[in-house]
Amino acid sequence: SLYDQVSNHGMETSMMDSVMTASREFFHLPLEEKKKCSNLIDGKHFQVEGYGNDHVRTQDQRLDWSDRLHLTVEPEGGRNLAHWPTHPKSFRDDLHEYALKCKKIKGDILRAMAKILKLDEDCLVNQFNSNAPTFARFNHFPPCPRPDLVLGIKPHADFPALTVLLMDRDVAGLQYLRDGTWYNVPAACDHTLLINIGLTMEIMINGIFTGPVHRVVTNADKERISVAMFYGVDPDHEIGPIAHLLRDEQPARYRKMKAKDLLVAQLEHFSQDRGAQIADACKI
Ligand SMILES: O=C(O)CCC(=O)C(=O)O
Ligand SMILES: [Fe+2]
């Protein structure tokens, strides 16, 4: 898998701190205030975008110990400002500026990856057309009385192509699975950003790099915040291994699938606590 910690990313540390501070201030608002951005329509119908918790699908489903704010950031025309907080006042501008910087980092990483894979430099960048969505997910993990029993986020591989993750500078919690063991990622005290490959990219590059399975553990006395920027492809785009990567001795290992159908499969796996197995389900 490619698990990449970028410390020389060219983003001002002050910008990272501003986004983190704005997120913290938002999550510390009274519930009534946050509910103005709710992900429940009329208080009951779940939609992905907005503020809230897991989508409850079944009675026995295991829920994550977190609340989230999920926003569409790109395409810019697809922003639904009704869900964008107005408190703190700087929130919208901070997110807008941050998204511009992340987009540049995303381009740099995709070009570097294409080079490693001996593809045309823009081959991966070109997988993202003007309809390709970018989502920001703000995660808040409050202190949890029973960290031995409850996870902040269940094991999963990120679904979109690439994730740029801004982590709490003081509190760790993210863990990666490797050969059956969970490994801690330290808190981002030195302003690193963490880059994850997602399932969509794993499929496009035929599993040469894989999307790592990870989870977030809870903490008995400290809250933790993270901000993930997810880069997906156009929902109508058919995802499949890029032809240039295929050889007789290296055939396609994944089925072709529309991005939107893959998303449905992923959501189902996640809510059934099988988030770590989704990649296998896509294999030929
Ligand atoms: O909180 C973290 O460090 C990771 C969050 C995460 O895995 C996600 O939002 O998909
Ligand atoms: Fe994740």
Side-chain angles (χ1 to χ4, degrees), residues 137 156-163 196-200 211-212 214 230 266:
R137 183 154 87 183
H156 67 283
D158 290 344
F159 159 76
L162 205 70
T163 310
N196 254 347
I197 280 186
L199 178 63
T200 303
H214 53 285
F230 295 112
Q266 196 271 351

Side-chain angles (χ1 to χ4, degrees), residues 150-218:
V150 190
L151 289 170
I153 304 186
K154 292 187 283 291
H156 67 283
D158 290 344
F159 159 76
L162 205 70
T163 310
V164 178
L165 183 68
L166 173 64
M167 289 185 297
D168 202 294
R169 293 191 64 197
D170 302 307
V171 185
L174 177 61
Q175 298 184 327
Y176 279 88
L177 183 63
R178 186 161 194 163
D179 301 330
T181 305
W182 291 101
Y183 293 93
N184 293 317
V185 177
C189 51
D190 54 356
H191 284 102
T192 45
L193 288 167
L194 197 142
I195 311 294
N196 254 347
I197 280 186
L199 178 63
T200 303
M201 179 64 73
E202 171 174 336
I203 294 174
M204 291 194 302
I205 61 178
N206 204 27
I208 296 175
F209 298 123
T210 57
V213 172
H214 53 285
R215 68 180 187 184
V216 176
V217 295
T218 47

